Amino acid sequence: MGHVSHKLNNAFEGALAGGGDPATSPLYVFGPFLRLIVVAGVAQITFGASIWLVILTVAVVSAMYRLVMQWVTDGSGGSGLSEEEFGPWAAKINAAITFVEYTLTFLVSMAAMVTFIADRIPFLNETLFLGLQWRTLVAILLSVVTGWLVNRGPKMAARTFGPATAGVLLLLWAMIVSTIIQYGFHLPDFNLAAFSAENIEYTLGGYVRILAVMTGIEVFANMVAAYNGTEAEKGKKAFSSLLIIMGTTGATMLIVGPVIHKLADPMNEEVSVFTQTMDQLLPAPLPWLGTLVGIAVLMSASAAAAQGLQNLSLGLSERRYVPPVLGKRNEFQVADKPVWLQVGIVAIVFLFFGTNEETYLAIYAAGVFVLLSMTGWAVTKRLLRQVKEEFQLSKALLIAGTILAALLTTGATTIIFVERFSEGAWTYFIFIPALYAMFSYTRKRMGEPTEEMDYLGRLDATSLAGFGFGQLNRASGTVTEKPATPEDLRWEPAPKTESKWRHQEAVLDKVAVLLDGSKYAEEALPWATLYCKRTGANLTILSSIKTKLTNADEEFEKEFSKRKEYLDGVKKKLENEGFDIEPVIRPGFIADATQMLIQERDIDIVVTSTRGKSGELNWTSGGLSQKLIQKISQPIFFVQTTADGKSAEPRLNKILVPLDGSIYSERVLPYARSLAQGFDAEIILLTVPAVPEPEDYSAPAGLIEDIRTKAEAEMEHFLNAVARSLRESGIKVRTMVKGTLPVRTIVSVGEEEDVDIIMSTSRGRGGLDLFMVGSKAQRVVEQTEKNVFMVPIRNKPS
């Protein structure tokens, strides 16, 4: 996510920052609108009525957002459907629609951009093969380029796309001025016949086709916090920014619209109606410059949608609505995977459905108006509540306006879905429930976020993304009566001062080592024998033969004899060192054999290397290490083995124990206590605060610093309490609170401190759980070169 290098000083800066999406809409909405009414032969009657209905909708929705900007000054404006006021369903519905809308914004803007390019290079409209046009390949290529630029961070995006909004504003006003000079000032007629029974279908049909001019209007409600000044001044500046953009859009519709109708041929499929009009209105070479500006701003709108999806994913990841992988930052500190997912979806859609923006406009507008209608009803609800608490005539009168806005937007939504249901609007009834189910599943499996991470998730979802002065996420799904402060937040779960795990000592009397006949697996033996020699534990070596054949089968007998000979050799060598062991060979997969051995012999700990016979890492290949975590509850000691079959010298002087403040993480303490006492080892207790460093957020640095300081103090208190319980047993303990990213910090501290093992817990997830939710412990095993002692957690601890 981007950083805000400075606050917005005035409304014009804000218009450039947030207006790219709505400012582009006049470039592509007139084509499908005119084609509908011209083909039907009703253009003279319905044209003006449709335009005026749109202007009325823009006006009432803008006025409604003025209220949101007055209420919410922390940049969490959005649709008004807050989890705090309406419950989790509101945030999930809002996030689902917003995800779809960002993808559609990217799709429509890219399609319109390719149309602009094809206006000047008609060759792109020709078919390559199997109905595939050259413009489709160009659209996919530019989508990949846009995704790549956005994923290289906001500075790159700002340098590439920053001036685009200013350019399109100049283009639109050049068209407005040229229209007035050449054709005079003429507003569209408002013909009441447009609402007659035979015409209203086309009037409303035209209305919904140009409603895409409303896309992105809600972004200004998210921008309030980005301005300088008092809260009242911030809201006023944000509203003025909205007026600059929507005023330009409205003026273009009213003044240039009739001339587009007069001059352009909507049936010309080779050149868009906007380009046709621009060629006749503007002197050369301005039309060509206008085309370049249009291409740049439409590409910037696609980039803004991609960057908005980045921020949305970061916010939803913090709030535990999406898998952690979607909120993982790359080297440029942005979430790149959601963007590549978006680009992939867009590319597939282009291949199957083409790059004509008209194909997607109605679906695009449908989602926008679902969000806007939500805003209307949410604002109305709040006004009603305020009037109920304290009657004020001014607020009572405002209710009529917000109800009108809600009715207009809800009506428009209904019309779009009814008219275009079979043409794609039906997809909302698939995508929204599917996304809602994913959000619900992930939240359920990962649990509720801490209050501060929930708060920071909202900041992430509404933060400036850095397009010039910043392009904001539209629709965060959060509206609060009073912005939260660090003092309002508390840690959940609260750091424990006592837990039974801090005073218990684990008994590890029975050790099983897994061998497959390879030098890689054999690297686990020195560690197991070191432990058994030091503690007197019993040692079992287990091997399995992965075949489905029966014992009577010749092939099985041959493999069995070979493996028995190998294990007998290992047994003889260990007996010479003073160990009394029993080799065990089982048919089937080694993870299943291990599970059975544990049940039969009450094995306390399993020792295995991270590589097996293939030489590949067991975890990253979905092999033994991962399967053991899913199947057993006993601790597993993973001995890190290099590709050349080497492992570190067995010793146990330093133990790193990461704790996160939850009782789950403390389940490892009895084992850490036992090992530290048995080997006179030092324990390093590490906590990585859940709150990232201030530079990871574009919220005010002081605010994040305050939250971070509070988090560090709480975690230090927690670690000191744990350390006291361990020191009572004579164990050497150090505590450490540092870092921002848990996995990276754990791995780096392990290297810096030259620890011998890292001990932690891991939820024993498998299947869809593992795919959706992931595991920090899994990533530690993947990334560290240190041995890892892991305790799978299956039951909720008491």
Side-chain angles (χ1 to χ4, degrees):
M1 176 185 38
H3 314 310
V4 180
S5 58
H6 63 275
K7 291 280 189 176
L8 301 175
N9 292 312
N10 54 60
F12 185 68
E13 287 187 355
L16 296 182
D21 194 1
T24 61
S25 56
L27 305 183
Y28 52 75
V29 297
F30 283 105
F33 166 49
L34 290 177
R35 267 188 287 277
L36 171 72
I37 59 178
V38 169
V39 170
V42 296
Q44 297 300 325
I45 300 172
T46 65
F47 178 88
S50 297
I51 294 287
W52 281 111
L53 280 176
V54 170
I55 297 301
L56 173 63
T57 307
V58 170
V60 296
V61 172
S62 298
M64 175 182 68
Y65 270 109
R66 180 66 183 112
L67 291 174
V68 176
M69 293 169 184
Q70 291 172 332
W71 288 333
V72 185
T73 58
D74 67 344
S76 59
S79 73
L81 273 187
S82 68
E83 183 169 352
E84 293 73 23
E85 285 190 87
F86 294 91
W89 70 268
K92 288 183 281 189
I93 287 288
N94 200 24
I97 295 174
T98 304
F99 177 89
V100 173
E101 277 305 288
Y102 277 140
T103 304
L104 284 170
T105 299
F106 192 109
L107 190 73
V108 169
S109 299
M110 191 61 65
M113 182 183 69
V114 174
T115 294
F116 254 59
I117 296 174
D119 285 347
R120 301 305 184 189
I121 311 176
F123 165 75
L124 296 179
N125 292 316
E126 294 183 9
T127 299
L128 181 60
F129 59 86
L130 298 177
L132 182 69
Q133 294 179 302
W134 283 101
R135 60 184 286 160
T136 301
L137 296 181
V138 171
I140 293 173
L141 175 63
L142 291 177
S143 296
V144 172
V145 170
T146 302
W148 179 80
L149 286 169
V150 169
N151 281 334
R152 291 185 66 80
K155 289 184 179 179
M156 172 68 76
R159 285 194 291 266
T160 306
F161 305 115
T165 303
V168 81
L169 288 176
L170 288 173
L171 171 63
L172 294 179
W173 280 105
M175 295 281 284
I176 292 169
V177 171
S178 182
T179 295
I180 294 173
I181 292 173
Q182 297 183 47
Y183 296 93
F185 183 80
H186 301 290
L187 297 177
D189 295 330
F190 188 85
N191 192 334
L192 291 177
F195 298 94
S196 64
E198 63 269 24
N199 294 321
I200 191 168
E201 175 186 352
Y202 298 104
T203 302
L204 295 180
Y207 168 62
V208 298
R209 278 164 174 76
I210 52 178
L211 276 178
V213 298
M214 299 288 290
T215 59
I217 186 174
E218 72 278 11
V219 73
F220 295 101
N222 297 108
M223 292 186 67
V224 180
Y227 294 84
N228 279 319
T230 65
E231 291 186 353
E233 290 171 342
K234 291 177 181 179
K236 184 177 180 180
K237 289 177 181 178
F239 184 63
S240 297
S241 297
L242 181 152
L243 292 181
I244 289 172
I245 295 298
M246 300 315 298
T248 299
T249 299
T252 304
M253 302 298 295
L254 290 171
I255 299 173
V256 183
V259 176
I260 293 177
H261 176 209
K262 179 179 180 179
L263 299 179
D265 175 11
M267 307 315 296
N268 182 350
E269 296 183 358
E270 297 297 318
V271 184
S272 67
V273 297
F274 195 91
T275 297
Q276 292 178 51
T277 307
M278 187 168 57
D279 286 345
Q280 297 185 60
L281 275 180
L282 300 179
L286 291 184
W288 275 87
L289 292 176
T291 296
L292 294 177
V293 167
I295 292 170
V297 76
L298 287 164
M299 192 170 184
S300 78
S302 291
Q307 209 163 25
L309 186 61
Q310 283 178 337
N311 288 351
L312 179 67
S313 299
L314 287 169
L316 292 176
S317 177
E318 301 288 9
R319 304 186 81 177
R320 299 185 178 177
Y321 279 128
V322 298
V325 66
L326 293 181
K328 188 176 181 180
R329 301 171 191 261
N330 64 9
E331 60 184 303
F332 301 102
Q333 290 301 298
V334 295
D336 57 341
K337 290 179 179 60
V339 174
W340 291 125
L341 174 64
Q342 185 182 53
V343 170
I345 292 171
V346 167
I348 291 170
V349 171
F350 281 155
L351 284 172
F352 281 94
F353 302 104
T355 56
N356 187 340
E357 64 272 18
E358 186 175 351
T359 306
Y360 314 107
L361 268 180
I363 312 172
Y364 181 35
V368 170
F369 272 80
V370 170
L371 290 175
L372 293 178
S373 61
M374 287 177 177
T375 306
W377 294 117
V379 171
T380 301
K381 177 181 179 293
R382 175 168 294 195
L383 281 174
L384 287 169
R385 188 177 70 245
Q386 291 181 354
V387 169
K388 185 177 179 181
E389 292 171 355
E390 181 183 356
F391 181 81
Q392 292 180 359
L393 181 61
S394 59
K395 287 186 177 179
L397 293 174
L398 282 174
I399 292 174
T402 58
I403 290 176
L404 175 61
L407 289 172
L408 274 173
T409 51
T410 303
T413 305
T414 304
I415 294 169
I416 293 171
F417 272 94
V418 170
E419 187 186 66
R420 293 299 183 95
F421 185 83
S422 62
E423 298 177 29
W426 59 269
T427 57
Y428 282 94
F429 294 96
I430 295 177
F431 293 132
I432 303 307
L435 289 168
Y436 186 96
M438 185 192 79
F439 298 152
S440 299
Y441 179 86
T442 308
R443 169 68 77 92
K444 180 180 179 182
R445 302 309 300 168
M446 296 190 68
E448 297 286 330
T450 62
E451 287 192 47
E452 60 290 320
M453 291 314 294
D454 180 71
Y455 176 58
L456 292 177
R458 299 201 300 271
L459 291 178
D460 247 329
T462 57
S463 61
L464 292 173
F467 273 89
F469 300 101
Q471 174 67 42
L472 287 171
N473 180 335
R474 66 167 80 145
S476 66
T478 56
V479 173
T480 55
E481 289 289 346
K482 172 179 173 293
T485 66
E487 290 71 28
D488 298 326
L489 302 174
R490 59 187 174 82
W491 285 95
E492 219 29 82
K496 310 288 182 184
T497 56
E498 283 296 328
S499 82
K500 67 178 184 180
W501 309 109
R502 299 181 192 178
H503 302 281
Q504 289 185 353
E505 183 176 334
V507 177
L508 301 173
D509 285 341
K510 298 180 179 179
V511 180
V513 179
L514 310 185
L515 300 177
D516 62 6
S518 70
K519 65 177 182 178
Y520 298 104
E522 206 167 305
E523 287 297 306
L525 278 173
W527 288 90
T529 54
L530 173 67
Y531 177 80
C532 292
K533 186 179 295 185
R534 193 69 176 255
T535 64
N538 295 322
L539 180 61
T540 299
I541 53 177
L542 172 66
S543 192
S544 72
I545 301 174
K546 291 188 291 186
T547 175
K548 297 180 180 180
L549 303 177
T550 65
N551 289 358
D553 188 276
E554 180 180 346
E555 183 180 344
F556 181 90
E557 290 294 341
K558 182 178 179 181
E559 184 64 28
F560 183 89
S561 298
K562 183 179 179 181
R563 188 65 55 85
K564 185 177 184 301
E565 181 180 355
Y566 165 73
L567 292 182
D568 285 343
V570 173
K571 176 183 177 181
K572 184 177 181 180
K573 179 181 177 181
L574 292 177
E575 284 178 339
N576 291 337
E577 297 177 11
F579 293 97
D580 182 16
I581 69 167
E582 179 184 356
V584 178
I585 304 176
R586 293 283 170 79
F589 293 100
I590 187 64
D592 297 324
T594 303
Q595 189 178 29
M596 186 177 298
L597 184 73
I598 288 171
Q599 294 170 353
E600 293 175 357
R601 305 196 179 190
D602 294 325
I603 298 296
D604 297 313
I605 182 172
V606 174
V607 183
T608 182
S609 69
T610 53
R611 296 177 192 267
K613 186 177 292 186
S614 68
E616 297 294 326
L617 285 169
N618 281 329
W619 197 295
T620 54
S621 64
L624 175 60
S625 302
Q626 196 175 96
K627 290 183 175 67
L628 287 174
I629 286 292
Q630 296 169 17
K631 286 180 176 290
I632 70 175
S633 299
Q634 281 65 26
I636 308 165
F637 191 155
F638 294 109
V639 178
Q640 293 286 5
T641 309
T642 62
D644 59 0
K646 303 294 182 181
S647 62
E649 178 185 352
R651 66 179 187 185
L652 206 52
N653 298 325
K654 282 187 182 181
I655 302 171
L656 177 62
V657 181
L659 300 172
D660 62 10
S662 73
I663 199 168
Y664 286 104
S665 65
E666 292 191 39
R667 288 283 294 270
V668 76
L669 290 175
Y671 302 101
R673 178 188 295 275
S674 294
L675 290 181
Q677 288 179 322
F679 288 85
D680 192 27
E682 178 187 33
I683 292 178
I684 301 172
L685 299 175
L686 169 68
T687 289
V688 182
V691 181
E693 299 286 0
E695 59 266 23
D696 289 338
Y697 281 87
S698 55
L703 173 65
I704 307 302
E705 286 172 359
D706 288 344
I707 298 175
R708 171 82 184 189
T709 300
K710 182 176 183 292
E712 290 178 347
E714 294 280 13
M715 291 297 101
E716 286 171 0
H717 175 68
F718 161 66
L719 286 186
N720 288 335
V722 176
R724 281 195 301 271
S725 67
L726 294 171
R727 288 180 182 129
E728 289 171 359
S729 300
I731 299 171
K732 294 175 288 186
V733 184
R734 277 191 289 143
T735 62
M736 219 179 266
V737 178
K738 65 181 296 184
T740 58
L741 302 174
V743 174
R744 184 184 301 176
T745 303
I746 292 168
V747 172
S748 64
V749 170
E751 293 295 329
E752 292 165 5
E753 294 288 337
D754 192 25
V755 302
D756 300 308
I757 59 170
I758 299 171
M759 301 184 68
S760 71
T761 59
S762 174
R763 298 298 297 272
R765 297 188 174 103
L768 185 60
D769 263 10
L770 188 65
F771 173 76
M772 293 291 288
V773 180
S775 167
K776 288 186 176 65
Q778 167 186 338
R779 297 197 295 275
V780 169
V781 175
E782 290 174 352
Q783 297 178 27
T784 186
E785 296 180 357
K786 302 298 180 180
N787 301 313
V788 178
F789 184 109
M790 195 176 297
V791 181
I793 301 298
R794 306 206 167 274
N795 301 316
K796 186 174 182 180
S798 56

